[in-house]
Amino acid sequence: MTDMTPLAEADPSLAALIAKDAHRQRSKIQLIASENFVSRAMMEAVGSVLANKYSEGYPGRRYYEGCEVIDEIENLAIDRAKSLFGSDHANVQPHSGSQANMAAYLAVLKPGDTVLGMRLDQGGHLTHGSPVNFSGQLFNFIGYGLDEESELIDFDNVRALALEHKPKMIVAGSSAYSKIIDWGEFKKIADEVGAILLTDIAHIIGLIAGGAHPSPVPYADIVTATTHKALRGPRGGLILCTDEYAKAIDKAVFPYSQGGAINHQIAGKALCFKQAATPEFSAYAHQIVRNASVLADAMAGAGARIVSGGTDNHMFLADMRSIDEELTGKEAATLLDEMGVTVNRNSIPLDPRSPFVTSGIRMGTAAVTTAGMKQEQMVTLGNAVVEILRKRHDPAVLSQLRDRVSELAAQFPAYPVDFNGYV
Ligand code: DSN
């Protein structure tokens, strides 16, 4: 037993639960495409006394006294974000990616305005116009999707919809699309119909920071993102924009859609922008992409159909029907987690099953790359995943496969084995 920490003393039950999740994160292979492992330095920043401070407003224009240090920290985060992505303006206050999108829409749209966005079932995000989300309720979203054959973004369809509906905004970006996004094509279409171009890079922000995916900043009016996925920062959102939209974006974040800034989170953002500006981070971002590509190839080689024919980024979708017509994404994800590989079920294009059941699983390599895995481990993992799914009714084979996965996870722990998950 190590020395009691303040948390363990104050709330042993909670401390034990955090330690339990640290163990889960360490002992299973984490392939959820939107997750990563933060550094211990990040935990220090985000667990700091900055959580105590109220600071509604912006640096130099606060509604509370005592914000002089908070101003310096927020300016540090803003300057680093602008320099990392080469943007005119950055707002680091959005509490999450969804909040970033909400503020960005509210900055330039009025309720009922027409917007073009990628459909959720084609790889878009809930905030790109899903009817169960505020975006689909407040605005007149028109959904575009993928070409049925190639499963690549169908730019003819995007253009035709843009010409027909004359949207005020086009949203480019996705949560489940595995190929390079051609921002220039979106920009051409947006210019043709006079639409604002918003690019949502929540998933690929880390790849863009590391030079492993083209940046939309030269093309987009507004860029929204999260900081906790491939970027390895704290949970949170970010908005970049041109000078033209800076004032409107700032007003839409505070006071229109949010209250006090979360200052410990902003400190974490400052840290992650610094970490992401290094050559080591660039090497890391490229390794994420190599790992995803090798993992997808290994699974395809073992007989799994990869949506869109493969991946150019950190993630991909695998069609479970290619392994067995009866296999659903839900069953596959549940079984894989029991076997020590954590993924999420995901709809695939033209999925006949409901979003709760689905025919696909989504896999991403940011977290395993942080844990140190490389191509060799991706081959082992890809083969093991397909074999688990194929042999799912054979307990003896599953038992051997579980051991193989567990050995692999033990070789690449995200955090030291004695780490309690918080200090
Ligand atoms: N829910 C996140 C994802 O998993 O992609 C996006 O917000």
Side-chain angles (χ1 to χ4, degrees):
M1 181 82 190
T2 49
D3 288 344
M4 287 280 262
T5 67
L7 176 61
E9 236 178 292
D11 191 341
S13 314
L14 178 62
L17 286 171
I18 295 175
K20 196 170 166 187
D21 204 59
H23 175 73
R24 179 195 67 78
Q25 294 186 25
R26 216 170 19 228
S27 57
K28 293 186 179 184
I29 294 178
Q30 306 298 333
L31 288 171
I32 289 185
S34 46
E35 293 183 4
N36 208 332
F37 300 118
V38 292
S39 63
R40 300 284 291 272
M42 186 62 64
M43 290 186 203
E44 282 186 31
V46 176
S48 68
V49 293
L50 300 175
N52 299 335
K53 189 71 195 102
Y54 247 113
S55 62
E56 284 174 5
Y58 288 101
R61 291 174 288 134
R62 304 285 188 183
Y63 291 82
Y64 292 78
E65 297 312 310
C67 290
E68 57 280 0
V69 181
I70 294 299
D71 280 3
E72 283 188 58
I73 292 168
E74 186 164 339
N75 277 329
L76 191 63
I78 290 169
D79 291 345
R80 286 178 178 171
K82 282 163 58 178
S83 147
L84 182 63
F85 297 104
S87 68
D88 292 348
H89 182 75
N91 187 308
V92 296
Q93 292 194 7
H95 301 335
S96 69
S98 291
Q99 289 294 117
N101 280 345
M102 178 183 262
Y105 297 160
L106 294 172
V108 292
L109 301 174
K110 298 225 167 350
D113 277 350
T114 298
V115 185
L116 226 56
M118 197 175 199
R119 291 207 326 256
L120 183 62
D121 64 347
Q122 301 276 299
H125 186 250
L126 275 170
T127 55
H128 298 178
S130 164
V132 298
N133 182 263
F134 80 90
S135 55
Q137 301 271 324
L138 278 187
F139 306 108
N140 175 35
F141 262 87
I142 308 290
Y144 63 82
L146 308 181
D147 175 75
E148 283 188 26
E149 283 277 302
S150 65
E151 295 178 317
L152 302 178
I153 291 172
D154 184 348
F155 280 106
D156 291 339
N157 176 243
V158 178
R159 184 165 180 273
L161 290 172
L163 289 171
E164 182 186 345
H165 296 280
K166 297 273 183 297
K168 179 132 185 232
M169 173 188 274
I170 297 180
V171 178
S174 75
S175 287
Y177 182 63
S178 60
K179 306 301 278 187
I180 297 282
I181 298 179
D182 187 342
W183 309 116
E185 269 307 308
F186 276 109
K187 171 71 176 158
K188 259 195 251 162
I189 297 169
D191 282 351
E192 200 176 338
V193 298
I196 294 165
L197 179 61
L198 181 149
T199 62
D200 179 344
I201 57 167
H203 261 260
I204 53 176
I205 180 174
L207 307 185
I208 290 166
H213 187 291
S215 170
V217 170
Y219 304 98
D221 299 295
I222 302 169
V223 179
T224 57
T226 55
T227 47
H228 50 275
K229 299 187 174 92
L231 196 60
R232 283 196 78 201
R235 294 199 83 79
L238 169 71
I239 304 178
L240 308 171
C241 64
T242 58
D243 280 331
E244 184 184 347
Y245 294 97
K247 232 177 169 165
I249 287 290
D250 285 355
K251 278 206 232 162
V253 173
F254 175 84
Y256 198 63
S257 63
Q258 290 191 171
I262 303 182
N263 293 306
H264 51 299
Q265 188 195 44
I266 289 175
K269 290 174 189 175
L271 173 61
C272 83
F273 299 141
K274 178 180 164 72
Q275 290 175 328
T278 60
E280 293 76 22
F281 189 88
S282 174
Y284 163 71
H286 284 89
Q287 186 65 46
I288 293 175
V289 173
R290 270 196 295 278
N291 280 353
S293 166
V294 172
L295 181 61
D297 285 353
M299 289 182 58
R305 189 181 83 80
I306 306 301
V307 172
S308 305
T311 178
D312 301 328
N313 60 24
H314 63 302
M315 55 83 52
F316 58 88
L317 301 174
D319 183 348
M320 294 298 95
R321 298 167 307 177
S322 57
I323 291 171
D324 174 341
E325 266 306 320
E326 298 301 309
L327 183 60
T328 65
K330 185 171 190 288
E331 187 190 351
T334 304
L335 172 64
L336 285 169
D337 193 46
E338 282 165 17
M339 296 291 295
V341 181
T342 305
V343 303
N344 65 279
R345 63 177 175 270
N346 214 102
S347 295
I348 56 172
L350 304 177
D351 203 324
R353 294 171 173 142
S354 79
F356 195 71
V357 177
T358 81
S359 299
I361 56 172
R362 187 181 66 160
M363 303 170 90
T365 52
V368 289
T369 307
T370 303
M373 292 194 195
K374 295 215 159 58
Q375 291 94 315
E376 185 189 336
Q377 290 76 41
M378 294 303 105
V379 173
T380 307
L381 194 53
N383 286 323
V385 164
V386 177
E387 214 180 332
I388 287 168
L389 298 174
R390 271 199 212 295
K391 301 285 169 59
R392 64 189 191 283
H393 300 304
D394 187 334
V397 177
L398 286 186
S399 167
Q400 286 169 12
L401 287 165
R402 187 184 284 111
D403 291 346
R404 201 191 299 169
V405 167
S406 160
E407 275 164 33
L408 186 58
Q411 285 168 34
F412 295 90
Y415 298 105
V417 278
D418 58 352
F419 179 48
N420 59 15
Y422 52 94
V423 287

PDB file of all heavy atoms in Angstrom, residues 352-364:
ATOM      1  N   PRO A 352     -28.150  -0.832 -42.961  1.00  0.00           N
ATOM      2  CA  PRO A 352     -29.556  -1.201 -42.803  1.00  0.00           C
ATOM      3  C   PRO A 352     -29.957  -1.312 -41.331  1.00  0.00           C
ATOM      4  O   PRO A 352     -31.147  -1.358 -41.007  1.00  0.00           O
ATOM      5  CB  PRO A 352     -29.643  -2.577 -43.483  1.00  0.00           C
ATOM      6  CG  PRO A 352     -28.258  -3.133 -43.414  1.00  0.00           C
ATOM      7  CD  PRO A 352     -27.313  -1.967 -43.394  1.00  0.00           C
ATOM      8  N   ARG A 353     -28.985  -1.358 -40.430  1.00  0.00           N
ATOM      9  CA  ARG A 353     -29.315  -1.532 -39.008  1.00  0.00           C
ATOM     10  C   ARG A 353     -29.405  -0.171 -38.304  1.00  0.00           C
ATOM     11  O   ARG A 353     -28.842   0.809 -38.775  1.00  0.00           O
ATOM     12  CB  ARG A 353     -28.263  -2.406 -38.331  1.00  0.00           C
ATOM     13  CG  ARG A 353     -28.278  -3.842 -38.862  1.00  0.00           C
ATOM     14  CD  ARG A 353     -27.092  -4.619 -38.340  1.00  0.00           C
ATOM     15  NE  ARG A 353     -27.168  -6.024 -38.698  1.00  0.00           N
ATOM     16  CZ  ARG A 353     -26.110  -6.754 -39.044  1.00  0.00           C
ATOM     17  NH1 ARG A 353     -24.906  -6.222 -39.082  1.00  0.00           N
ATOM     18  NH2 ARG A 353     -26.252  -8.026 -39.353  1.00  0.00           N
ATOM     19  N   SER A 354     -30.049  -0.165 -37.155  1.00  0.00           N
ATOM     20  CA  SER A 354     -30.253   1.095 -36.427  1.00  0.00           C
ATOM     21  C   SER A 354     -28.919   1.597 -35.867  1.00  0.00           C
ATOM     22  O   SER A 354     -27.976   0.805 -35.706  1.00  0.00           O
ATOM     23  CB  SER A 354     -31.225   0.868 -35.264  1.00  0.00           C
ATOM     24  OG  SER A 354     -30.515   0.257 -34.201  1.00  0.00           O
ATOM     25  N   PRO A 355     -28.847   2.896 -35.543  1.00  0.00           N
ATOM     26  CA  PRO A 355     -27.599   3.435 -34.974  1.00  0.00           C
ATOM     27  C   PRO A 355     -27.228   2.769 -33.648  1.00  0.00           C
ATOM     28  O   PRO A 355     -26.092   2.849 -33.207  1.00  0.00           O
ATOM     29  CB  PRO A 355     -27.916   4.918 -34.752  1.00  0.00           C
ATOM     30  CG  PRO A 355     -29.124   5.201 -35.573  1.00  0.00           C
ATOM     31  CD  PRO A 355     -29.868   3.917 -35.736  1.00  0.00           C
ATOM     32  N   PHE A 356     -28.198   2.143 -33.003  1.00  0.00           N
ATOM     33  CA  PHE A 356     -27.897   1.479 -31.737  1.00  0.00           C
ATOM     34  C   PHE A 356     -27.280   0.102 -31.959  1.00  0.00           C
ATOM     35  O   PHE A 356     -26.537  -0.408 -31.127  1.00  0.00           O
ATOM     36  CB  PHE A 356     -29.173   1.359 -30.888  1.00  0.00           C
ATOM     37  CG  PHE A 356     -28.881   1.017 -29.461  1.00  0.00           C
ATOM     38  CD1 PHE A 356     -28.299   1.961 -28.617  1.00  0.00           C
ATOM     39  CD2 PHE A 356     -29.150  -0.258 -28.965  1.00  0.00           C
ATOM     40  CE1 PHE A 356     -27.987   1.632 -27.299  1.00  0.00           C
ATOM     41  CE2 PHE A 356     -28.846  -0.586 -27.651  1.00  0.00           C
ATOM     42  CZ  PHE A 356     -28.267   0.359 -26.811  1.00  0.00           C
ATOM     43  N   VAL A 357     -27.563  -0.481 -33.103  1.00  0.00           N
ATOM     44  CA  VAL A 357     -27.052  -1.839 -33.401  1.00  0.00           C
ATOM     45  C   VAL A 357     -25.872  -1.740 -34.377  1.00  0.00           C
ATOM     46  O   VAL A 357     -24.772  -2.187 -34.082  1.00  0.00           O
ATOM     47  CB  VAL A 357     -28.183  -2.727 -33.975  1.00  0.00           C
ATOM     48  CG1 VAL A 357     -27.653  -4.108 -34.348  1.00  0.00           C
ATOM     49  CG2 VAL A 357     -29.300  -2.860 -32.957  1.00  0.00           C
ATOM     50  N   THR A 358     -26.080  -1.150 -35.491  1.00  0.00           N
ATOM     51  CA  THR A 358     -25.075  -0.877 -36.536  1.00  0.00           C
ATOM     52  C   THR A 358     -24.464  -2.135 -37.163  1.00  0.00           C
ATOM     53  O   THR A 358     -24.540  -3.232 -36.626  1.00  0.00           O
ATOM     54  CB  THR A 358     -23.895   0.011 -36.037  1.00  0.00           C
ATOM     55  OG1 THR A 358     -22.950  -0.782 -35.332  1.00  0.00           O
ATOM     56  CG2 THR A 358     -24.360   1.194 -35.241  1.00  0.00           C
ATOM     57  N   SER A 359     -23.789  -1.901 -38.293  1.00  0.00           N
ATOM     58  CA  SER A 359     -23.080  -3.002 -38.964  1.00  0.00           C
ATOM     59  C   SER A 359     -21.572  -2.807 -38.908  1.00  0.00           C
ATOM     60  O   SER A 359     -20.822  -3.572 -39.501  1.00  0.00           O
ATOM     61  CB  SER A 359     -23.510  -3.082 -40.425  1.00  0.00           C
ATOM     62  OG  SER A 359     -24.894  -3.335 -40.499  1.00  0.00           O
ATOM     63  N   GLY A 360     -21.125  -1.743 -38.223  1.00  0.00           N
ATOM     64  CA  GLY A 360     -19.686  -1.476 -38.252  1.00  0.00           C
ATOM     65  C   GLY A 360     -19.079  -1.265 -36.893  1.00  0.00           C
ATOM     66  O   GLY A 360     -19.770  -1.111 -35.883  1.00  0.00           O
ATOM     67  N   ILE A 361     -17.752  -1.291 -36.882  1.00  0.00           N
ATOM     68  CA  ILE A 361     -17.024  -0.813 -35.708  1.00  0.00           C
ATOM     69  C   ILE A 361     -16.051   0.258 -36.199  1.00  0.00           C
ATOM     70  O   ILE A 361     -15.603   0.233 -37.346  1.00  0.00           O
ATOM     71  CB  ILE A 361     -16.265  -1.926 -34.938  1.00  0.00           C
ATOM     72  CG1 ILE A 361     -15.280  -2.689 -35.852  1.00  0.00           C
ATOM     73  CG2 ILE A 361     -17.227  -2.860 -34.254  1.00  0.00           C
ATOM     74  CD1 ILE A 361     -14.376  -3.664 -35.107  1.00  0.00           C
ATOM     75  N   ARG A 362     -15.755   1.219 -35.305  1.00  0.00           N
ATOM     76  CA  ARG A 362     -14.798   2.272 -35.637  1.00  0.00           C
ATOM     77  C   ARG A 362     -13.541   2.045 -34.804  1.00  0.00           C
ATOM     78  O   ARG A 362     -13.618   1.748 -33.612  1.00  0.00           O
ATOM     79  CB  ARG A 362     -15.428   3.628 -35.300  1.00  0.00           C
ATOM     80  CG  ARG A 362     -14.617   4.815 -35.758  1.00  0.00           C
ATOM     81  CD  ARG A 362     -15.278   6.126 -35.367  1.00  0.00           C
ATOM     82  NE  ARG A 362     -15.317   6.308 -33.923  1.00  0.00           N
ATOM     83  CZ  ARG A 362     -15.479   7.488 -33.327  1.00  0.00           C
ATOM     84  NH1 ARG A 362     -15.663   8.584 -34.040  1.00  0.00           N
ATOM     85  NH2 ARG A 362     -15.515   7.584 -32.005  1.00  0.00           N
ATOM     86  N   MET A 363     -12.409   2.162 -35.453  1.00  0.00           N
ATOM     87  CA  MET A 363     -11.146   1.948 -34.741  1.00  0.00           C
ATOM     88  C   MET A 363     -10.197   3.099 -35.043  1.00  0.00           C
ATOM     89  O   MET A 363     -10.119   3.556 -36.186  1.00  0.00           O
ATOM     90  CB  MET A 363     -10.515   0.628 -35.201  1.00  0.00           C
ATOM     91  CG  MET A 363     -11.434  -0.549 -34.993  1.00  0.00           C
ATOM     92  SD  MET A 363     -10.823  -2.048 -35.775  1.00  0.00           S
ATOM     93  CE  MET A 363      -9.874  -2.722 -34.442  1.00  0.00           C
ATOM     94  N   GLY A 364      -9.459   3.549 -34.039  1.00  0.00           N
ATOM     95  CA  GLY A 364      -8.499   4.635 -34.240  1.00  0.00           C
ATOM     96  C   GLY A 364      -7.225   4.351 -33.463  1.00  0.00           C
ATOM     97  O   GLY A 364      -7.247   3.647 -32.446  1.00  0.00           O
TER      98      GLY A 364
END
